[in-house]
Amino acid sequence: AELRGALEAILLVVDEPVSELVLAQVVEQPAERVGRMLDEIAAGYTAAGYGFELRRAAGGWRLYTRPEYAGYVERFVLDGQSVRLTQAALETLAVVAYKQPVTRSRISAIRGVNCDGVLRTLVSRGLVEECGTEPESGAFLYRTTTMFLEKLGLNTVDELPPLAPFLPDNVEELADATR
């Protein structure tokens, strides 16, 4: 029961398929036992008729919504577009708006936290988009979209308010202190 619960808990938080070997290492169990338990969990979800299923994909395991409920999920996701942005999303959006084009790693460095999930949310909501790659590293570059401009009532990003009035007077000292 503990193995089943541990695997289910992990599978709820993964955002890409995770291999049996990785799961086995995390739960400290043989890969064969983990594989059998995953098969059992998947069969149980199917037999119970849950709205989601556990299946193999891209060399690993992941939870997916059942295809027959795609219409409901799509409606929920699209209706969720009008939901307010979180503080993290607003901060990430501000970094992209003022620093564009900007890489994911630069955004994370500026905010001081990983921004992968937040950036995916902003892309899915149509406020941010990929706009090429950085020549040196090959990292994707991000910029704001025309929808972003429409939502803010701007013609161009040049109309964004200046940041200087909102920065502390000793910003240079603060920047030097972090180096």
Side-chain angles (χ1 to χ4, degrees):
E2 186 172 337
L3 174 60
R4 178 186 184 97
L7 291 171
E8 288 175 332
I10 293 166
L11 291 166
L12 278 174
V13 299
V14 299
D15 59 353
E16 59 187 39
V18 61
S19 72
E20 288 176 19
L21 185 58
V22 169
L23 290 169
Q25 290 170 345
V26 171
V27 297
E28 299 174 333
Q29 293 288 324
E32 300 79 34
R33 182 170 185 217
V34 169
R36 285 192 306 272
M37 180 57 70
L38 291 168
D39 286 333
E40 185 180 309
I41 292 169
Y45 289 166
T46 299
Y50 288 130
F52 56 90
E53 61 188 354
L54 176 62
R55 66 176 185 232
R56 292 179 195 264
W61 290 84
R62 184 170 178 202
L63 292 169
Y64 291 90
T65 56
R66 292 205 182 275
E68 57 266 33
Y69 302 114
Y72 297 108
V73 173
E74 183 178 352
R75 203 168 327 134
F76 173 78
V77 170
L78 294 177
D79 288 348
Q81 301 273 335
S82 62
V83 173
R84 295 177 144 240
L85 294 175
T86 63
Q87 184 67 31
L90 288 172
E91 290 172 7
T92 302
L93 187 56
V95 171
V96 173
Y98 282 96
K99 295 287 188 180
Q100 63 188 311
V102 62
T103 63
R104 189 180 300 233
S105 62
R106 181 74 178 131
I107 298 166
S108 293
I110 290 169
R111 289 200 56 235
V113 294
N114 185 309
C115 66
D116 294 353
V118 175
L119 203 51
R120 277 193 298 274
T121 298
L122 294 172
V123 169
S124 73
R125 291 189 180 188
L127 297 170
V128 172
E129 65 187 0
E130 289 181 7
C131 64
T133 57
E134 188 177 57
E136 300 85 24
S137 66
F140 289 112
L141 292 168
Y142 293 89
R143 67 178 176 208
T144 54
T145 63
T146 54
M147 180 191 285
F148 166 81
L149 295 173
E150 288 173 23
K151 296 281 185 189
L152 266 64
L154 303 173
N155 275 330
T156 68
V157 290
D158 298 333
E159 294 178 7
L160 286 168
L163 283 179
F166 302 103
L167 296 175
D169 293 336
N170 62 343
V171 73
E172 285 82 16
E173 294 170 23
L174 293 171
D176 290 340
T178 60
R179 288 187 192 146

